[in-house]
Amino acid sequence: MRTQVVVIGAGPAGLLLSYLLRSEGLDVVLLEARSREYVRKRMRAGVCEQPTVELLREIGLGTRLDAEGLRHEGFSLRFDGSDHRVALTELTGKAIMVYGQQEIVKDLIDAHEAKGWPIEFEVSGVSLSGLDTDRPRVDYRDVTGVSQVVDADVVAGCDGFHGISRPAVPAGGLRAFDRQYPFAWLGVLAQTPPSSEELIYAHHERGFALHSMRSPELTRAYLQVAPDEKLADWSDDRIWSELSLRLKTDADFSLHEGPLLDKSITPMRSHVVEPMRYGRLFLAGDAAHIVPPTGAKGMNLAVADIRVLSRALVELLQHNSSELAESYSDTCLKRVWRAEHFSWYMTSMLHVDPDADVFQHRLQLSQLRYTASSRAAATSLAENYVGLPFA
Ligand code: FAS
Ligand code: PHB
C-alpha cells in the first residue's frame, strides 16, 4: 500500500491531524490499536482552552461543543477554609469550555465517518522502519490479523506516551526530560449534579482535591493519592468522605454524593522529548510530551501541535516546501515548555508534597495567598489557563 501520511493513534492528536490533512486532500492512513467503542468511551481531559474551542469551530466541529459544552468564566482556588475566585474572563477577556475529551474524540470520529474517511481500529504489531529515508515504511496487522505494509512520505506519531513511535527513534536521536511526582490522581465520574457551578481547585493539608464536571448531571472529581495507591483500597464511601473533608470550607458548601460511574488512578509526570521529530517521523501530543493534569493542558497541547504539524505537512507534501516542517519542533516546543512550566507551577502550588518541609509548605501558602490577592499574579495564572494565543 502507498500513502502520503500514516498517522499512528486515533486520540485527539491523531484524529485531528487525519481530519485536517484529509480536508486538504492529502492521502492518509489512520491506525488505532484499540476498538472504536473503547476510544469513544475513554474518559480523560475535561477543559478546552479558548484557542482549542476556536480551532474546532473554525473547522466545523463546534456545533455539539457549543450546544453541550459548559462555558466557564472563572474557577476557585480553595484554601485557608475559603474560596478565592480567579476571574478568568474579567482578567483576560477569554473563557474555557468544559467539554470532555471523549466528546471531541466522538465528534472527530463521526466527522471521519460522515466523509467516508476510514479509521483502522484494532490494529496490532505496528512497526516503523526507514524513518531516516524519504520513504518510511509501516508494517502492521489489520483487525482481521492480515499483515499489511504501507510505504509513506511521512509518519505522524500520535500514539500517546505508551505508543511505539517515540521508541522507534534510534538511541541518540532524541533527548528526554522527565520529572515524576510523589503523588497520583484518583479520578471519579459521579451520577450527581455538580456541587458548584465552577471548578474548585482545593489545597488541603490532607492533599489536593479538584471538583469539576461533565454536564449538569455529572460530577468529575479528583483526589491526590500516593503514587502506588490501589483503586481497590478506595470504596465509594471512602472517596466521598475524603472529597468532603478536602473540599470543606467555612462557608456553606455541601458536596452532592451519588453513584460512581468510573474510577481511575493517573500517575503524575512531566516529560518532554526534543526534538519532536526524527527524519520523516513527526511526534505530536502525548507521544512527545506529558504534563501533570493540574493545569488542564494535556489535550490542548496536542491540539496546538497538530495545528502546526498539519500546516507543515500540507506545505511539504502539496507545495514541496519544507520550511514549516523544518521548524515544526522548535515552534511546538516553545508552547510545550510554557505549558510544562504552568502545569508544574499549578501542581506545586496545590499538592501536598510528602517530602516537603515546613518551609516549603509556607512558600506554597504564600504563593496561593499572593495569587488570590494580586491582580497581576491572578492575571498571569489566568492567561496561561485560558490558553495563550497560538504561534
Ligand atoms: P492519546 O493517548 O489520547 O491517544 C493515543 C492513541 O494512540 C490512543 O487511542 C492509543 O490507543 C493509540 N495507540 C497507542 N499505541 C498504538 C499503536 N502501537 N498503534 C496504534 N495506536 C496506538 N489532560 C488534561 O488536560 N486533563 C485531564 O484531566 C487529563 N486526564 C488524563 C487521564 C489519563 C488516564 C491520561 C492517560 C491522560 C490524561 N490527560 C489529561 C492527558 C490527555 O488528555 C492527553 O493529553 C491526551 O489524551 C493527548 O492526546 P493524544 O496525544 O492524542 O494521545
Ligand atoms: C476535568 O474536568 O477532567 C479536569 C479539569 C481541570 C483539570 C484537570 C481535569 O485541571
Side-chain angles (χ1 to χ4, degrees):
M1 198 185 330
R2 172 87 183 82
T3 191
Q4 289 179 294
V5 183
V6 177
V7 179
I8 317 280
L15 283 164
L16 183 59
L17 180 61
S18 166
Y19 183 83
L20 291 174
L21 295 179
R22 281 161 147 162
S23 298
E24 293 293 329
L26 270 73
D27 220 14
V28 174
V29 169
L30 174 54
L31 304 177
E32 168 54 48
R34 307 302 293 256
S35 70
R36 179 179 182 278
E37 182 176 356
Y38 178 90
V39 170
R40 287 174 71 91
K41 282 189 175 168
R42 181 171 49 199
M43 177 170 303
R44 283 193 174 159
V47 168
C48 297
E49 293 178 346
Q50 181 153 319
T52 295
V53 172
E54 289 170 350
L55 184 146
L56 292 171
R57 286 176 181 149
E58 274 167 32
I59 63 176
L61 290 174
T63 307
R64 202 160 69 91
L65 172 127
D66 283 324
E68 298 176 20
L70 305 171
R71 174 185 162 88
H72 281 206
E73 300 192 353
F75 67 81
S76 282
L77 294 172
R78 186 168 283 184
F79 63 93
D80 288 346
S82 62
D83 277 337
H84 309 270
R85 187 167 185 266
V86 179
L88 298 172
T89 304
E90 183 200 321
L91 292 167
T92 69
K94 298 176 183 174
I96 58 160
M97 189 77 88
V98 174
Y99 187 67
Q101 173 176 317
Q102 73 271 32
E103 304 310 325
I104 293 176
V105 165
K106 283 180 204 167
D107 293 341
L108 281 162
I109 291 173
D110 292 347
H112 274 74
E113 293 173 347
K115 290 179 182 283
W117 294 337
I119 303 169
E120 290 204 43
F121 291 104
E122 300 181 73
V123 303
S124 57
V126 178
S127 70
L128 312 180
S129 56
L131 295 175
D132 54 353
T133 72
D134 60 4
R135 185 68 77 239
R137 172 173 151 165
V138 179
D139 291 77
Y140 69 97
R141 286 186 301 281
D142 65 23
V143 63
T144 66
V146 173
S147 293
Q148 304 288 346
V149 178
V150 191
D151 291 318
D153 295 318
V154 164
V155 178
C158 301
D159 47 348
F161 188 65
H162 301 290
I164 55 95
S165 297
R166 194 179 62 252
V169 177
L174 298 172
R175 182 178 177 191
F177 302 85
D178 194 74
R179 171 165 296 189
Q180 299 187 33
Y181 297 86
F183 36 75
W185 273 15
L186 187 158
V188 296
L189 180 72
Q191 183 76 52
T192 183
S195 309
S196 159
E197 288 192 359
E198 294 184 330
L199 273 66
I200 302 167
Y201 286 81
H203 172 274
H204 190 280
E205 60 186 13
R206 296 174 65 90
F208 168 77
L210 170 60
H211 170 279
S212 182
M213 67 286 292
R214 284 296 178 271
S215 74
E217 299 77 34
L218 288 173
T219 290
R220 179 76 167 144
Y222 298 90
L223 282 170
Q224 171 187 341
V225 294
D228 57 355
E229 198 71 54
K230 301 286 179 289
L231 211 45
D233 296 339
W234 285 83
S235 67
D236 294 13
D237 287 348
R238 184 185 176 196
I239 291 170
W240 283 120
S241 160
E242 194 61 34
L243 277 169
S244 187
L245 274 173
R246 297 187 192 182
L247 289 168
K248 188 170 167 33
T249 69
D250 301 341
D252 60 332
F253 171 83
S254 65
L255 188 62
H256 307 156
E257 300 188 10
L260 297 188
L261 307 176
D262 182 88
K263 289 184 199 175
S264 65
I265 290 183
T266 304
M268 302 277 272
R269 79 187 307 156
S270 301
H271 191 91
V272 180
V273 292
E274 292 183 358
M276 291 169 49
R277 174 186 181 183
Y278 176 77
R280 285 298 177 104
L281 171 67
F282 293 80
L283 299 172
D286 278 17
H289 41 70
I290 291 283
V291 286
T294 327
K297 290 297 158 209
M299 177 191 67
N300 293 294
L301 262 188
V303 169
D305 289 348
I306 295 306
R307 179 179 172 276
V308 179
L309 184 55
S310 59
R311 294 172 180 210
L313 296 186
V314 168
E315 284 302 298
L316 180 69
L317 301 176
Q318 279 197 335
H319 308 298
N320 201 26
S321 163
S322 64
E323 189 182 348
L324 292 182
E326 295 307 320
S327 61
Y328 163 71
S329 179
D330 287 346
T331 302
C332 289
L333 284 170
K334 290 186 181 71
R335 191 179 188 90
V336 167
W337 280 110
R338 174 87 303 275
E340 290 287 348
H341 178 272
F342 178 68
S343 303
W344 164 83
Y345 156 78
M346 286 285 279
T347 301
S348 309
M349 181 169 68
L350 286 158
H351 289 70
V352 172
D353 180 344
D355 307 322
D357 58 13
V358 176
F359 178 79
Q360 283 171 283
H361 180 67
R362 293 286 192 275
L363 289 182
Q364 199 176 44
L365 276 176
S366 167
Q367 178 68 45
L368 283 163
R369 289 166 182 158
Y370 174 57
T371 304
S373 57
S374 156
R375 186 178 179 86
T379 304
S380 173
L381 188 160
E383 70 172 12
N384 280 278
Y385 193 84
V386 297
L388 293 167
F390 286 136

